Amino acid sequence: MQAPVVGVLALQGAFALHVRALERLGSVAVEVRTPPELAGVDGLVLPGGESTTMSKLLDANGLFEPVAERLAEGMPALGTCAGMILLAREVLDGRADQRSFGAVDITVRRNAFGRQVDSFEADLEVAGLPEAPVHAVFIRAPVVEDVGPGVEVLAQVDGGRPVACRQGRVLVTSFHPELSPDLRVHELFLRELAA
Ligand code: GLN
């Protein structure tokens, strides 16, 4: 079997380190900016950055509908921070014209971690990664305010706020796993791709 090709949405934000993380794990990773580039990938990483800008650029590049279609067909995806916002069903405190894919049945609120709104770090127990806690970096991170019945919560902070969730083949994190040398969150996603 040919190795899966992993796309990283590269319209804006922290895409370069995702490409590097995937390559370090032995994957073929390609930057995605156009519909033909999307057509060539088996899964997609939606990075952190600015979800309002990415939403606009997805429309401007004719990528919003093609990505939505691939997600509806079951394409595996990993969304981190702004990427989580883009994959959520509902976005609070967004721009009025901000769009999201609704691939994960969660409601997120942008930039809402209370006094820790700018950035903080935490060691997380992540379901499926029992060996050691995952060191997670949060940067103006979204808060998950509501989780639908089909969503599995993989990690929490503050005794119960979800910061990593999975629904079907889509994995989302409030934090930035590409900023840590620990690549196990990317590995979880690649396991989904291989399945
Ligand atoms: N606050 C950003 C947004 O709303 C997300 C921040 C990030 O991706 N680090 O899109």
Side-chain angles (χ1 to χ4, degrees):
M1 196 186 94
Q2 258 186 324
V5 178
V6 189
V8 180
L9 187 67
L11 299 173
Q12 188 267 338
F15 55 86
L17 286 177
H18 278 290
V19 171
R20 219 183 298 164
L22 293 162
E23 286 175 348
R24 276 177 55 201
L25 291 168
S27 299
V28 180
V30 298
E31 294 178 2
V32 170
R33 295 185 184 81
T34 65
E37 286 168 350
L38 176 71
V41 305
D42 299 301
L44 188 66
V45 176
L46 294 86
E50 194 50 55
S51 58
T52 53
T53 307
M54 272 193 253
S55 167
K56 241 191 278 180
L57 292 174
L58 280 161
D59 275 329
N61 288 274
L63 261 178
F64 191 94
E65 310 306 337
V67 171
E69 274 165 34
R70 290 293 305 275
L71 289 167
E73 288 164 13
M75 173 180 69
L78 167 65
T80 65
C81 203
M84 171 195 249
I85 296 170
L86 287 170
L87 288 166
R89 176 179 48 78
E90 191 182 9
V91 179
L92 304 176
D93 291 342
R95 275 176 50 127
D97 59 354
Q98 176 165 8
R99 302 176 76 191
S100 69
F101 293 112
V104 181
D105 189 8
I106 53 174
T107 300
V108 298
R109 188 178 293 282
R110 296 177 59 226
N111 307 335
F113 259 108
R115 277 177 295 156
Q116 296 167 315
V117 66
D118 282 332
S119 81
F120 65 102
E121 303 188 12
D123 288 314
L124 304 176
E125 302 291 337
V126 179
L129 304 176
E131 309 79 19
V134 169
H135 187 71
V137 179
F138 296 79
I139 304 168
R140 295 181 65 78
V143 164
V144 178
E145 294 208 346
D146 188 50
V147 171
V151 178
E152 189 187 350
V153 174
L154 302 180
Q156 307 176 341
V157 291
D158 299 344
R161 307 174 96 176
V163 292
C165 301
R166 174 163 54 202
Q167 183 165 21
R169 306 184 79 190
V170 180
L171 189 64
V172 288
T173 66
S174 304
F175 55 91
H176 281 258
E178 81 285 4
L179 291 181
S180 148
D182 180 349
L183 301 179
R184 286 177 296 155
V185 170
H186 289 87
E187 268 173 351
L188 265 189
F189 168 60
L190 291 176
R191 256 184 254 165
E192 209 56 65
L193 259 171

